[in-house]
Amino acid sequence: MGIVCLGFVPESPHWLARKLLETEAGTGEDDGNTEEQESSINTNMISPTKNKNTSTTANMKNQLKNISKVTILIPPLLLLITPLNGGFSMAFFAIDLVSSMGFSHPSLLSILIALLRTVGIVFSMIFVQKFGRRNSLLISSSVVTVCCFIISSILYTNLIPKLLSDWIMIIILLTSMFTSGLGISSIPWVLASEWPEMNMKAFVNTASTFCYFVSVFLSAHLTTLVNNSFGISASFMVFAGINALTFIVTVMYVVETGGLTYERHRQLEIQKNKEDPDFTYL
């Protein structure tokens, strides 16, 4: 089904041929030279492709030199880091992880974990509009870092009575999953789509998607390795460290662009700093 749908994607060969035929049909010109029309269509479709292929490498090199490295590196980096923060691990191994934490009714709690993460992603649309991309990611990563650290400490020390510690960890765990959905799960994708210029969107989004699936693959194996080797407390400590790394990257490199591309935002900031009287924020 996906292969069939590709034929209707804008700028695909089928799409270009159909649009060209519709244009000719609209002019009312029909000289009966069907073969010549088809030949013209094929020539128009193939010739530009050959010309583009010869200069693709040179154009890509020039674009990479002129564009900010932040635009290219940060969205894929965030999508390489964030799937390792515990969200996917709790989704993949929810029952196993919850059971190893000593909770009763692990199936019910695992359902609540997945549900709250989904609800958090839905609410992120409102949250991002109110607080912006940078602040949403900072709030989300910092809260999840603290939650994972507290859970790891409780599991490691066993100083709190069992019933009380169970309720504390349940509340913190659910809060962590909801907060993760507010920023960590959605903002990296938003940056990958907004920051690049139009001619670099395909490159950045492809790199981001590749990093994301690599990270999802690593997430499954990393959780199993750490949990079996060092225990569930160490797993949550690793999650805390990864979320702290997300917070650090956000503080250092993520700026609030307000939906603009990174380069356009940077140009506007330069104009602001120069106090240009003709400056308008578009």
Side-chain angles (χ1 to χ4, degrees), residues 10-31:
E11 298 185 4
S12 65
H14 176 271
W15 184 88
L16 291 171
R18 182 162 53 87
K19 288 298 180 182
L20 185 56
L21 289 174
E22 289 176 357
T23 302
E24 292 181 355
T27 61
E29 298 177 356
D30 185 9
D31 55 2

Side-chain angles (χ1 to χ4, degrees), residues 18-91:
R18 182 162 53 87
K19 288 298 180 182
L20 185 56
L21 289 174
E22 289 176 357
T23 302
E24 292 181 355
T27 61
E29 298 177 356
D30 185 9
D31 55 2
N33 296 328
T34 305
E35 294 182 359
E36 293 181 3
Q37 291 177 359
E38 291 180 354
S39 176
S40 176
I41 292 171
N42 293 331
T43 302
N44 291 334
M45 290 167 54
I46 295 172
S47 297
T49 304
K50 291 181 178 179
N51 294 332
K52 289 180 180 178
N53 289 336
T54 57
S55 60
T56 298
T57 303
N59 289 338
M60 180 63 70
K61 289 181 179 179
N62 291 332
Q63 291 169 5
L64 292 176
K65 288 179 181 179
N66 296 330
I67 199 170
S68 172
K69 299 301 184 291
V70 173
T71 305
I72 300 175
L73 297 177
I74 296 304
L77 177 62
L78 286 173
L79 284 166
L80 183 64
I81 296 173
T82 51
L84 300 172
N85 76 329
F88 278 101
S89 299
M90 293 304 299

Side-chain angles (χ1 to χ4, degrees), residues 75-142:
L77 177 62
L78 286 173
L79 284 166
L80 183 64
I81 296 173
T82 51
L84 300 172
N85 76 329
F88 278 101
S89 299
M90 293 304 299
F92 293 153
F93 307 103
I95 295 179
D96 294 337
L97 289 175
V98 171
S99 299
S100 63
M101 294 170 71
F103 293 131
S104 57
H105 306 293
S107 299
L108 177 61
L109 185 56
S110 63
I111 294 174
L112 289 176
I113 289 171
L115 180 61
L116 273 180
R117 187 167 180 265
T118 304
V119 171
I121 294 174
V122 173
F123 274 93
S124 69
M125 294 184 290
I126 302 173
F127 196 77
V128 171
Q129 290 300 318
K130 183 175 180 60
F131 296 102
R133 292 117 179 100
R134 173 183 167 86
N135 289 335
S136 296
L137 195 53
L138 288 174
I139 294 171
S140 180
S141 59
S142 60

Side-chain angles (χ1 to χ4, degrees), residues 4-282:
V4 173
C5 291
L6 286 176
F8 299 91
V9 173
E11 298 185 4
S12 65
H14 176 271
W15 184 88
L16 291 171
R18 182 162 53 87
K19 288 298 180 182
L20 185 56
L21 289 174
E22 289 176 357
T23 302
E24 292 181 355
T27 61
E29 298 177 356
D30 185 9
D31 55 2
N33 296 328
T34 305
E35 294 182 359
E36 293 181 3
Q37 291 177 359
E38 291 180 354
S39 176
S40 176
I41 292 171
N42 293 331
T43 302
N44 291 334
M45 290 167 54
I46 295 172
S47 297
T49 304
K50 291 181 178 179
N51 294 332
K52 289 180 180 178
N53 289 336
T54 57
S55 60
T56 298
T57 303
N59 289 338
M60 180 63 70
K61 289 181 179 179
N62 291 332
Q63 291 169 5
L64 292 176
K65 288 179 181 179
N66 296 330
I67 199 170
S68 172
K69 299 301 184 291
V70 173
T71 305
I72 300 175
L73 297 177
I74 296 304
L77 177 62
L78 286 173
L79 284 166
L80 183 64
I81 296 173
T82 51
L84 300 172
N85 76 329
F88 278 101
S89 299
M90 293 304 299
F92 293 153
F93 307 103
I95 295 179
D96 294 337
L97 289 175
V98 171
S99 299
S100 63
M101 294 170 71
F103 293 131
S104 57
H105 306 293
S107 299
L108 177 61
L109 185 56
S110 63
I111 294 174
L112 289 176
I113 289 171
L115 180 61
L116 273 180
R117 187 167 180 265
T118 304
V119 171
I121 294 174
V122 173
F123 274 93
S124 69
M125 294 184 290
I126 302 173
F127 196 77
V128 171
Q129 290 300 318
K130 183 175 180 60
F131 296 102
R133 292 117 179 100
R134 173 183 167 86
N135 289 335
S136 296
L137 195 53
L138 288 174
I139 294 171
S140 180
S141 59
S142 60
V143 171
V144 176
T145 299
V146 173
C147 288
C148 291
F149 180 77
I150 293 175
I151 293 174
S152 176
S153 300
I154 293 175
L155 290 171
Y156 183 76
T157 58
N158 292 322
L159 297 177
I160 304 176
K162 179 80 167 57
L163 181 61
L164 179 60
S165 66
D166 285 352
W167 277 106
I168 291 175
M169 285 193 291
I170 288 173
I171 294 172
I172 293 176
L173 188 59
L174 295 179
T175 302
S176 172
M177 290 298 101
F178 176 78
T179 310
S180 177
L182 288 178
I184 294 176
S185 300
S186 57
I187 299 300
W189 289 110
V190 173
L191 299 181
S193 63
E194 289 182 349
W195 276 13
E197 297 294 331
M198 187 60 66
N199 58 350
M200 292 299 296
K201 282 186 181 292
F203 176 82
V204 175
N205 278 273
T206 301
S208 299
T209 303
F210 172 77
C211 291
Y212 172 78
F213 282 110
V214 168
S215 186
V216 170
F217 173 79
L218 293 176
S219 173
H221 295 280
L222 178 65
T223 301
T224 303
L225 177 63
V226 176
N227 196 30
N228 292 338
S229 301
F230 304 101
I232 187 66
S233 175
S235 295
F236 276 93
M237 186 58 69
V238 171
F239 297 154
I242 293 172
N243 284 290
L245 179 59
T246 303
F247 181 85
I248 293 171
V249 171
T250 304
V251 170
M252 295 179 64
Y253 298 108
V254 177
V255 297
E256 181 56 51
T257 56
L260 300 174
T261 64
Y262 188 89
E263 292 297 325
R264 175 60 174 161
H265 176 268
R266 189 170 65 172
Q267 292 171 4
L268 292 174
E269 289 297 318
I270 293 173
Q271 292 181 12
K272 277 185 178 181
N273 294 334
K274 291 180 178 180
E275 297 181 352
D276 187 348
D278 297 327
F279 168 77
T280 55
Y281 194 90
L282 300 176

